[in-house]
Amino acid sequence: MALKKFIIRRYEGHSDRAQVEDLERRCKVGPSESVLDTMGDPMCRIRNSPMYIMLVAEMENELVGVIQGLIKMVKVHTHPPKDMAKVGYVLGLRVSPHSRRKGIGSSLVQRLEEWFTSNDVEYAYMATEKENHASINLFMEKYCYTKFRTPTILINPVNHHLFQISSNIEIAMVKVEKAESLYRRFMGSTEFFPSDIENILRNKLSLGTWVAYFKGDSDFGLDGEVPDSWAMLSVWNCGEIFKLRLGKAPLSCMLFTKSWSLIGRMFPCMKLPTLPNFFSPFGFYFMYGVYQEGPFSGKLVRALCQFVHNMASRSEQSKIIVTEIGGRDDLIHHIPHWKLLSCQDLWCIKALNNEGTNKFHELSNTQSSITLFVDPREV
C-alpha cells in the first residue's frame, strides 16, 4: 500500500486556524497530558518574539502536523564575539495521532532547521519535561540534539488567602528604563540573557518589574548605588494569550489534593489555602528575571513572591505562579513552590553551521551556570 503524500508549508491564519486548534486538542502533551487552549491564536506563544514562523504538514486537505520556531540573540558563554549567539527555539511540534510514524515530524523539524539556517542561526534548541522520554528520545536519537541544561520549573498555587508582607520591607515598582538598566548591569552576563530585554519589558504582557529592599537601607541612587541587600523580579501574564488544562495528574497528586480539601472542610479554623482545579482551563503568572544580591536577599525574594501571589489572587485570573531557574540556583530555597507540582526541565541543543559546530563541543560540555535567564516569550 502506497504511503499518502504530505506537504510542508507556512501556516495561514485565516484558513488553518480551526484545524490547528483541533490538532492541538487531540495531541496531549507530556506525562500530565496537558492541553493548550490558545484562545483563537495558535501563534500566541511565538508572536511576541523578534522573528518567528509556524509550519504545518498537510495531507489530502487535512492538517496532520505543526511546528513553531523563533529566532533571537542571546548570551552564550565562550562564543565570539562578545559571548553572543543567534539561536533558534523549536517548540510546539505536534503530529496527529493517526498520522504518526510517516516521517511527518522529521520533515517539520528539518524544514524549520532550514529556515533557521537561512537566517544565520548558529544553534537550535528545544525544551521539554525531563520525564517526557518520548520527546527526548525523538530529538536526541532522530534529530541529533544533545542534552544542554536542566533548569527547574517551580509552581506555586494561588489561593484567596493574602500574605502579610513584613513591615520592614519596601517593595517598589520601577520604570522600564530603570528595569532595563538593572537587568543589563546585573544579569547581562547570565546564560541565555536576551539582547532585546527592553522589548520584553515593554511588552503588554509584562505587568511590571519590582524591587525589594529593607526600609532604612540605602535606596537605588542615580549614581548606580544599590542597597546592601535587594531583590528584583518581573511578571508576565501568560493567561492573557493561552490557558492550560491537565488531562491527568499523578496518583500521589490526586490523593494529596483530595486529602487537603477534606481536611480544609473538617477543620475550617485551620484556614488552609485552597487548591485550584487544574482540570478546567486556567491561566498563570510567570515570574522572570528573578535576581538577588546581599546577605539577607533571600527574605526579600520571598517577600516579592508573596507580593506577586497577592496580585494574582486579586486578579482572579491566574491559578498558579510559575518560574524557571537554573538547576543549581540558590533561588530555589527562597521561591515558594510545591514540590508535588514542580518539575525539572531539559534543554537540548544542536549546532547548525560550521562556526557553531566549532564551539559546540565546548558549549555542550561546559558545566551548567548557576543562573539562567528564561525568556517569558517562550513559556
Side-chain angles (χ1 to χ4, degrees), residues 13-24:
H14 179 71
S15 57
D16 294 338
R17 182 180 297 115
Q19 284 200 63
V20 169
E21 288 181 332
D22 178 65
L23 180 62
E24 189 73 53

Side-chain angles (χ1 to χ4, degrees), residues 33-47:
E33 295 188 355
S34 303
V35 178
L36 184 70
D37 179 4
T38 57
M39 302 191 297
D41 183 12
M43 298 182 73
C44 64
R45 293 181 65 198
I46 57 175
R47 195 175 294 282

Side-chain angles (χ1 to χ4, degrees), residues 23-242:
L23 180 62
E24 189 73 53
R25 284 190 291 268
R26 288 186 285 122
C27 296
K28 297 174 181 178
V29 182
S32 62
E33 295 188 355
S34 303
V35 178
L36 184 70
D37 179 4
T38 57
M39 302 191 297
D41 183 12
M43 298 182 73
C44 64
R45 293 181 65 198
I46 57 175
R47 195 175 294 282
N48 293 290
S49 298
M51 291 182 65
Y52 57 88
I53 194 173
M54 186 170 183
L55 301 173
V56 297
E58 184 177 21
M59 180 188 295
E60 296 185 339
N61 296 320
E62 178 189 0
L63 296 190
V64 293
V66 63
I67 196 170
Q68 301 179 44
L70 58 89
I71 297 173
K72 61 179 182 176
M73 290 289 296
V74 300
K75 174 70 67 171
V76 175
H77 296 301
T78 75
H79 194 283
K82 299 181 179 180
D83 289 343
M84 298 295 293
K86 203 172 197 179
V87 298
Y89 182 48
V90 181
L91 71 160
L93 175 61
R94 310 280 189 266
V95 177
S96 176
H98 67 264
S99 300
R100 291 171 183 169
R101 300 185 183 278
K102 297 179 180 179
I104 295 172
S106 297
S107 296
L108 284 167
V109 173
Q110 181 180 344
R111 284 288 296 275
L112 181 60
E113 289 181 349
E114 289 173 359
W115 180 73
F116 285 157
T117 302
S118 68
N119 285 283
D120 301 319
V121 168
E122 296 162 90
Y123 303 103
Y125 74 106
M126 54 78 69
T128 187
E129 294 178 39
K130 197 174 182 181
E131 300 303 317
N132 191 351
H133 301 296
S135 179
I136 294 170
N137 292 337
L138 185 69
F139 274 87
M140 291 188 65
E141 294 178 10
K142 292 194 70 173
Y143 310 141
C144 302
Y145 282 67
T146 300
K147 290 182 180 179
F148 177 54
R149 296 293 181 257
T150 53
T152 303
I153 300 174
L154 304 178
I155 300 176
N156 203 39
V158 174
N159 57 72
H160 299 299
H161 299 288
L162 300 181
F163 287 102
Q164 286 293 117
I165 298 174
S166 176
S167 58
N168 72 330
I169 293 178
E170 185 74 39
I171 294 179
M173 187 177 186
V174 297
K175 294 182 178 181
V176 170
E177 295 80 9
K178 182 67 173 179
E180 180 188 353
S181 175
L182 289 171
Y183 275 124
R184 291 195 183 279
R185 177 181 173 188
F186 294 100
M187 295 194 76
S189 61
T190 302
E191 196 168 45
F192 269 61
F193 182 83
S195 64
D196 66 333
I197 182 65
E198 70 281 1
N199 292 331
I200 299 175
L201 297 170
R202 294 183 185 279
N203 192 287
K204 64 180 181 180
L205 297 176
S206 190
L207 302 182
T209 302
W210 288 266
V211 294
Y213 53 95
F214 293 103
K215 292 180 179 178
D217 202 348
S218 57
D219 201 344
F220 291 82
L222 296 176
D223 58 352
E225 182 184 9
V226 295
D228 293 331
S229 291
W230 65 286
M232 169 176 63
L233 60 73
S234 300
V235 181
W236 189 268
N237 186 7
C238 295
E240 281 293 310
I241 55 173
F242 65 83

